Amino acid sequence: MNRIISSNIGYPRIGAQREWKKLLESFWAGKLPEEQFLSGLEGLRLTHLKVQQKKGIELIPVGDFSLYDHMLDTAAMFGLVPKRFAYYGGPVPLATYYAMARGTQGAPACEMTKWFNTNYHYIVPELNGLTPTLTVNKPLEAYREAKRKLGIDGKPVLIGPYTFLKLSKGYAPEQLDVLIELFLPLYKQILTELEQEGAVWVQIDEPILVTSLSETDMERIADIYSQLHAAAPGLKLMLHTYFDSVEHYERTVALPVQGIGLDFVHGAERNIAALRTHGFPADKALGVGLIDGRNVWLADLEAKLQLLDEVSALVPSGTLIVQPSCSLLHVPVTTRTEEQANAELLPFLAFADEKLDEVVLLGKAAAGERTDAVRSGLEASARLVRELNASPLRNRATVRAATRHIAGGPSARQSPYSVRHILQQNKFQLPLLPTTTIGSFPQTPEVRQARKRWRTGEWNEAQYRTFVQEQIQAWINIQEELGLDVLVHGEFERTDMVEFFGEKLDGFLFTRNGWVQSYGSRCVKPPVIYGDVEFVQPMTVEETVYAQSLTSKPVKGMLTGPVTILNWSFVRDDISREQVAYQIALALRQEVEALENAGIGMIQIDEPALREGLPLKQQDWQHYLDWSVHAFRLTSAAVKDTTQIHTHMCYCEFHDIIDAIRALDADVISIETSRSHGELMQSFDEHTYDQGIGLGVYDIHSPRVPAVDEMVRTIERALSVLEPELFWINPDCGLKTRGVEETVASLRNMVAAAEQFRACCDKA
Ligand SMILES: Nc1nc2c(c(=O)[nH]1)N[C@@H](CNc1ccc(C(=O)N[C@@H](CCC(=O)N[C@@H](CCC(=O)N[C@@H](CCC(=O)O)C(=O)O)C(=O)O)C(=O)O)cc1)CN2
Ligand SMILES: [Zn+2]
């Protein structure tokens, strides 16, 4: 008989009412003194621990809370502060920590990128020859706090050295071994101090183990862990993996640690197959990630228990730790606040708190407990999941037939890009290096308040519409005055680029309070795709046509692409993601047609999440890229040659998917180049990319106003690689998070930078 323990891997930090976000933003705005800010955060942190304690979770993670981001915390703990932030050792001051995250007028922020295949963004550590030191033992502090204040013997959490180094930048691959030697003593010290303090389990996250690693990588990892184990032999090290199956199962489970955490939801088949083939070492605990930490559906606990029994039979006498598949950072906090909004679907949903209840119930059931509560909990979950899958909303014959029809049909533009390019240039007569923006303009408190008034009934539909039109008008004027070449309406009517479409399409449900952290204090409320997706009526035509009526310059229509809507929603898991993507593509294709019929000549279809959906293992890439490119083309390809299709991607590594980017066959793609300083232009060069490229010449995630010179340098770098005729000039993403003044000032500088270039190109 196995010993069963219930555990959690990480708890959302934002708070059930986004208290965390509000504290951070008031502090940044200077409205909250530091002391109150820190005590507010402490209150929240302890509340979260108490919730887990009360639910009966045995291994409660500590140290997963953050002041911004867990990668940034780790970098700060090691004193890895880039030179530009003027740091001289010791614990990193709060102001420096936030300067790294957000930038200051004098020092641009650190780069930010996607955490594996999630919509969570971390701050990329910059090593650049810095020597790491242990400025503070953060897991130890967290452990002490939980013990002293709540009597919780917590499980300190830290990011493992290999994942940390692999996700950092500012070093050459051949320096990795030297770096490991620099970091190992620090990790050893952290662990030794935890051991002395009396910690039992320590969770070391190494999600890098689910990506495609080489033999050399595995040798390094084996060496790292034998050293860490030797440094603190009394600690139980729980090496955690998540988001997919481990790539080198045998070598991973042989590592000298006391526990291995595997994902039994994402990559479950491969992990189970490996377990079946190779068994599991008798001297280790197995962390069984059974409850989906990436989605919001209630689990079928009978089925989960069956899987656990199967696993149990393969791990005859060890300890099984029942837990979510990954940190619950990626799901909202609780469904309790949804009671009024979603009565019908509520029984089928489980957010973080409800998932922890599932973990505890499953743990009890696995330990053989069969009280009435356990029995009815198991039965009810299985029954509800069956009920949901059978619901008519999930099975609309018309949608299924239309999707089949269109997905099998043609998805190519009428003419190749070379032909379209000439036709479009004749039509639009744009200057060299045309300037534009990515779509959204500042969502000011005024805009958000207006929407709130309308939602709560204080304003009627007409009042809200008038308000949105006034915003559009004001910003068309601003754009004309700035001298931008292609204008946008500004997206004032949208809460979020995905949620907005979700609300207008059939098959989606939206939550009232289902917030998830995206980066820093910024949160998203992913819609829930519960049924077959269907177009109802035009979603963007009215605002776009209105904007176009106010100007003689082209106004670019603005849609979110099918793959991004898919990747940024919580998606039903009873049919394939590919099928859902085609359903969304079919619906959006009708929107594209509606825009074109209404006389809109440029349409941008954003796909910022295409890259993040890329599977973590190379062997799975092609299939994903094939269907996601197909979905994009189903959406975009039916237009006339003279209609210009734009797309936009941000904050990701493009190198891996450059062929897919080309295969999208968009006329213009705008990409981020500011925080990564043009590194990625190289990829475009190597692949002789010859379609339009919008250069994201400044970082919109930072409040600082970039100087003309800075942007000129970014443009120069790109132009040294590819022909000037290919380029457009734009910010690296939408401007919704920015203030009005800084936006206007930045855009003015951007237009000036483009003009400076045009003048010198004309001379040449
Ligand atoms: N889904 C998604 N993922 C994405 C992006 C994106 O745009 N969307 N962009 C990239 C970067 N991520 C981002 C994520 C969030 C935000 C962002 O601005 N989020 C807003 C929330 C947006 C929103 O839904 N706002 C609601 C307002 C919700 C609200 O707080 N309302 C107040 C009232 C209004 C107020 O006082 O502010 C209330 O209910 O009390 C609206 O506009 O209507 C925030 O955290 O502040 C920006 C970028 C990558 N991933
Ligand atoms: Zn973007």
Side-chain angles (χ1 to χ4, degrees):
M1 180 73 187
N2 293 112
R3 180 166 178 249
I4 308 284
I5 304 179
S6 63
S7 178
N8 185 21
I9 301 185
Y11 190 82
R13 47 185 83 119
I14 57 171
Q17 301 293 336
R18 285 182 297 156
E19 294 88 343
W20 187 82
K21 169 199 178 63
K22 290 166 197 165
L23 285 166
L24 258 63
E25 291 178 0
S26 326
F27 175 63
W28 293 338
K31 291 182 197 147
L32 191 66
E34 181 168 327
E35 220 168 285
Q36 279 177 34
F37 168 60
L38 293 176
S39 72
L41 289 180
E42 179 188 307
L44 199 57
R45 193 161 59 233
L46 296 178
T47 304
H48 295 171
L49 292 175
K50 277 188 265 183
V51 167
Q52 299 174 77
Q53 184 182 37
K54 199 158 155 235
K55 289 191 181 297
I57 296 288
E58 288 162 279
L59 292 182
I60 298 174
V62 295
D64 54 335
F65 194 83
S66 176
L67 298 180
Y68 193 93
D69 159 52
H70 47 269
M71 281 293 281
L72 179 60
D73 292 346
T74 312
M77 175 167 80
F78 293 134
L80 299 168
V81 181
K83 293 224 162 51
R84 63 187 182 279
F85 298 104
Y87 157 79
Y88 306 103
V92 175
L94 201 54
T96 311
Y97 176 91
Y98 284 131
M100 287 167 73
R102 310 175 66 228
T104 59
Q105 197 53 41
C110 296
E111 194 182 332
M112 178 167 87
T113 199
K114 308 266 181 190
W115 177 246
F116 295 87
N117 55 2
T118 73
N119 190 10
Y120 177 85
H121 305 63
Y122 68 91
I123 299 292
V124 184
E126 296 171 28
L127 303 184
N128 293 325
L130 296 171
T131 306
T133 56
L134 193 65
T135 65
V136 47
N137 187 339
K138 186 176 181 256
L140 179 68
E141 289 196 337
Y143 178 76
R144 283 184 175 151
E145 180 187 59
K147 192 153 199 180
R148 206 178 57 235
K149 302 222 160 112
L150 302 170
I152 291 177
D153 195 3
K155 172 184 61 164
V157 175
L158 54 154
I159 296 177
Y162 212 61
T163 298
F164 182 75
L165 283 171
K166 281 280 189 174
L167 299 187
S168 297
K169 63 182 237 173
Y171 67 92
E174 56 275 15
Q175 290 172 289
L176 191 54
D177 289 307
V178 175
L179 284 170
I180 291 171
E181 291 311 313
L182 286 178
F183 279 86
L184 264 176
L186 311 184
Y187 272 94
K188 286 181 191 168
Q189 190 182 339
I190 294 173
L191 296 177
T192 311
E193 290 176 7
L194 282 169
E195 184 184 31
Q196 281 161 5
E197 192 73 18
V200 182
W201 280 103
V202 172
Q203 172 182 325
I204 306 191
D205 286 358
E206 289 283 15
I208 202 78
L209 281 163
V210 310
T211 64
S212 300
L213 294 180
S214 67
E215 286 296 317
T216 320
D217 288 316
M218 292 311 294
E219 279 159 25
R220 290 194 185 111
I221 292 172
D223 184 47
I224 290 171
Y225 281 92
S226 63
Q227 294 204 42
L228 294 184
H229 172 61
L235 273 186
K236 291 176 192 257
L237 300 186
M238 182 70 186
L239 183 70
H240 250 292
T241 69
Y242 38 78
F243 302 150
D244 208 326
S245 59
V246 285
E247 181 84 355
H248 300 268
Y249 177 84
E250 283 181 274
R251 302 192 65 153
T252 302
V253 301
L255 290 170
V257 290
Q258 288 66 35
I260 302 281
L262 300 177
D263 193 326
F264 284 89
V265 177
H266 303 272
E269 296 79 18
R270 284 189 287 227
N271 270 339
I272 293 166
L275 186 61
R276 217 175 265 136
T277 314
H278 306 289
F280 189 80
D283 61 344
K284 289 188 175 60
L286 174 60
V288 195
L290 273 176
I291 299 297
D292 195 348
R294 298 286 300 273
N295 215 335
V296 292
W297 303 108
L298 187 80
D300 174 345
L301 294 179
E302 279 184 354
K304 297 286 177 189
L305 187 60
Q306 220 168 4
L307 179 60
L308 193 58
D309 284 343
E310 199 182 323
V311 168
S312 185
L314 297 164
V315 187
S317 55
T319 301
L320 290 185
I321 302 183
V322 181
Q323 57 195 18
S325 66
C326 61
S327 165
L328 297 173
L329 186 66
H330 310 290
V331 289
V333 179
T334 172
T335 59
R336 267 173 296 133
T337 45
E338 298 299 321
E339 271 155 21
Q340 277 135 36
N342 288 303
E344 260 175 71
L345 271 147
L346 195 62
F348 304 109
L349 297 176
F351 297 171
D353 283 354
E354 293 73 30
K355 285 175 189 291
L356 291 178
D357 290 334
E358 293 182 333
V359 165
V360 171
L361 190 88
L362 204 52
K364 287 182 181 163
E369 188 178 321
R370 284 296 180 279
T371 54
D372 286 351
V374 170
R375 208 173 294 126
S376 69
L378 293 177
E379 282 163 14
S381 72
R383 177 172 40 77
L384 283 165
V385 171
R386 273 196 305 274
E387 198 179 299
L388 178 64
N389 287 345
S391 116
L393 297 171
R394 284 208 153 171
N395 304 285
R396 299 179 211 224
T398 46
V399 175
R400 296 290 170 102
T403 308
R404 256 197 315 276
H405 177 69
I406 192 177
S411 63
R413 298 284 298 264
Q414 285 161 28
S415 307
Y417 173 74
S418 52
V419 174
R420 304 196 309 261
H421 178 59
I422 295 165
L423 296 172
Q424 290 166 12
Q425 191 49 26
N426 284 341
K427 174 173 166 188
F428 296 114
Q429 300 284 329
L430 294 167
L432 187 70
L433 301 173
T435 52
T436 189
T437 61
I438 300 305
S440 57
F441 283 126
Q443 288 270 334
T444 56
E446 194 193 0
V447 173
R448 298 234 157 111
Q449 278 306 319
R451 186 153 37 247
K452 195 173 182 181
R453 288 204 174 104
W454 166 61
R455 289 233 149 118
T456 55
E458 190 187 329
W459 275 10
N460 62 28
E461 181 79 27
Q463 280 170 300
Y464 179 61
R465 260 176 44 191
T466 309
F467 173 86
V468 169
Q469 291 199 342
E470 283 163 5
Q471 295 291 314
I472 294 174
Q473 167 121 53
W475 277 90
I476 289 287
N477 294 346
I478 294 173
Q479 293 173 84
E480 291 208 314
E481 190 266 323
L482 286 169
L484 288 155
D485 299 305
V486 170
L487 314 192
V488 296
H489 78 281
E491 303 182 24
F492 300 104
E493 76 287 9
R494 306 183 187 179
T495 49
D496 171 74
M497 59 186 292
V498 169
E499 195 185 25
F500 172 80
F501 289 94
E503 286 183 13
K504 299 205 176 258
L505 291 166
D506 255 1
F508 284 77
L509 150 107
F510 45 98
T511 63
R512 164 167 297 189
N513 214 17
W515 295 98
V516 178
Q517 185 187 3
S518 179
Y519 72 89
S521 69
R522 295 287 171 174
C523 300
V524 293
K525 198 140 54 63
V528 179
I529 304 181
Y530 66 91
D532 286 340
V533 174
E534 202 165 12
F535 178 87
V536 182
Q537 58 184 18
M539 301 173 276
T540 66
V541 174
E542 183 185 318
E543 288 82 7
T544 318
V545 166
Y546 176 68
Q548 185 65 83
S549 74
L550 302 172
T551 176
S552 57
K553 294 206 167 152
V555 169
K556 189 165 59 159
M558 202 55 61
L559 305 177
T560 305
V563 186
T564 294
I565 292 187
L566 180 84
N567 283 338
W568 286 353
S569 297
F570 290 119
V571 186
R572 59 191 292 190
D573 51 11
D574 61 319
I575 63 172
S576 71
R577 293 174 76 82
E578 174 179 359
Q579 285 309 313
V580 181
Y582 293 157
Q583 291 184 4
I584 305 171
L586 172 60
L588 290 173
R589 181 188 175 103
Q590 294 169 73
E591 185 69 15
V592 169
E593 276 165 11
L595 281 170
E596 191 178 51
N597 291 337
I600 300 302
M602 292 184 184
I603 302 171
Q604 179 173 312
I605 304 170
D606 293 323
E607 283 292 17
L610 195 144
R611 170 62 178 80
E612 92 189 21
L614 191 66
L616 296 169
K617 294 189 195 310
Q618 278 172 16
Q619 64 196 88
D620 302 330
W621 284 4
Q622 202 53 51
H623 175 62
Y624 167 79
L625 289 172
D626 286 348
W627 66 252
S628 53
V629 167
H630 188 54
F632 182 90
R633 292 175 63 133
L634 288 174
T635 304
S636 60
V639 296
K640 294 183 286 213
D641 280 344
T642 47
T643 297
Q644 191 166 69
I645 296 289
H646 292 232
T647 187
H648 161 75
M649 295 182 181
C650 45
Y651 294 99
C652 64
E653 181 56 64
F654 296 89
H655 194 79
D656 298 333
I657 60 163
I658 197 96
D659 292 327
I661 289 179
R662 177 202 297 281
L664 296 176
D665 199 23
D667 298 301
V668 182
I669 173 172
S670 66
I671 43 160
E672 174 262 330
T673 32
S674 61
R675 279 203 190 186
S676 65
H677 308 289
E679 282 155 22
L680 75 107
M681 285 318 301
Q682 221 57 42
S683 316
F684 281 81
D685 185 35
E686 284 162 23
H687 290 74
T688 57
Y689 193 85
D690 59 359
Q691 306 193 190
I693 302 175
L695 284 176
V697 296
Y698 80 86
D699 174 17
I700 62 87
H701 292 85
S702 170
R704 70 189 281 279
V705 174
V708 178
D709 282 359
E710 241 172 87
M711 291 187 274
V712 164
R713 279 197 300 277
T714 305
I715 302 173
E716 263 169 2
R717 261 195 304 265
L719 264 57
S720 69
V721 178
L722 292 169
E723 293 304 310
E725 285 73 24
L726 296 178
F727 290 117
W728 290 57
I729 305 298
N730 46 258
D732 68 356
C733 190
L735 294 157
K736 64 185 172 189
T737 60
R738 299 274 54 92
V740 172
E741 260 176 60
E742 71 214 33
T743 296
V744 172
S746 302
L747 289 176
R748 199 178 297 289
N749 287 355
M750 184 188 87
V751 172
E755 278 167 357
Q756 197 168 313
F757 242 96
R758 275 179 209 155
C760 77
C761 286
D762 283 350
K763 264 182 254 138

